Amino acid sequence: MSKRPLSGPPSKAFKTISINIEGISDSKEELLAELCKSTACDVLCIQETHRAAQDKRPTISGMQSVIERPHGKYDSAIFVRPDLNIISANFTEEMDIEILTIEIQNCTITSIYKPPTIPFAFNNPGNFNNQRTQIVVGDFNSHSTTWGYKENDENGDLVESWAEAMATHTDP
């Protein structure tokens, strides 16, 4: 049962965008900046920028970079609107599965990239369980009938099992 007041203006919707960009470029950065501006995006999660550590860092006008995992073949990053208060940012990488998590006041937002040939596994970043509400987005490179494929593959089964376990997990 909700205990928020029934009168007054509705609370602002919180918007998160997740995109597998398949290589970042100046024109894609401009496109993402316009998308974030036109949708009033709060958090932008990007997978596969293909940016090595020595390459120019991605920049999205109107957004602030919070965390990035440079990798010449993959690479993930999270950007936020500049006035969003970030409590913590952390990531894990195991077998090139990139898991980036930011923590804000009421939730954590996690961006995942799993390469196609690697079995799905989730290695919690240190701040993943800091908030009760957890938003998880990304590119899992998996198939499941739950999200529209004709059949499940092994990774689809692994992702579904993990998601179900997360949904039933309660802290003491």
Side-chain angles (χ1 to χ4, degrees):
M1 174 179 222
S2 174
K3 294 188 177 192
R4 57 184 192 145
L6 296 175
S7 61
S11 62
K12 179 185 175 292
F14 186 84
K15 296 179 184 169
T16 299
I17 295 173
S18 176
I19 185 168
N20 182 315
I21 202 72
E22 283 294 338
I24 197 77
S25 65
D26 291 344
S27 58
K28 288 180 181 180
E29 288 176 352
E30 290 172 19
L31 181 65
L32 289 172
E34 183 56 38
L35 176 65
C36 288
K37 181 180 176 183
S38 67
T39 62
C41 175
D42 297 291
V43 177
L44 173 64
C45 301
I46 306 174
Q47 302 88 37
E48 283 200 277
T49 66
H50 304 295
R51 191 195 80 76
Q54 71 274 9
D55 295 341
K56 173 187 152 291
R57 293 190 70 183
T59 57
I60 309 298
S61 178
M63 301 294 279
Q64 173 183 331
S65 175
V66 176
I67 189 167
E68 178 187 15
R69 190 261 182 163
H71 187 282
K73 189 173 181 182
Y74 308 121
D75 182 58
S76 295
I78 298 178
F79 291 82
V80 300
R81 62 179 162 79
D83 61 337
L84 188 63
N85 182 33
I86 304 301
I87 297 169
S88 68
N90 207 330
F91 77 96
T92 60
E93 58 175 299
E94 190 169 320
M95 296 179 53
D96 284 330
I97 298 174
E98 303 168 346
I99 304 173
L100 286 65
T101 298
I102 62 169
E103 176 188 5
I104 60 175
Q105 181 179 357
N106 297 320
C107 68
T108 58
I109 298 124
T110 299
S111 176
I112 296 175
Y113 175 73
K114 184 201 76 63
T117 60
I118 306 297
F120 177 76
F122 188 84
N123 186 9
N124 286 6
N127 60 348
F128 181 78
N129 289 311
N130 287 1
Q131 299 289 335
R132 185 172 181 199
T133 301
Q134 299 155 331
I135 299 168
V136 179
V137 298
D139 183 348
F140 295 83
N141 277 306
S142 57
H143 295 182
S144 170
T145 56
T146 302
W147 50 85
Y149 286 90
K150 291 184 181 187
E151 58 187 33
N152 287 17
D153 65 8
E154 180 181 349
N155 282 305
D157 291 336
L158 291 169
V159 170
E160 281 194 45
S161 294
W162 169 80
E164 288 170 6
M166 292 302 300
T168 59
H169 173 73
T170 57
D171 291 331

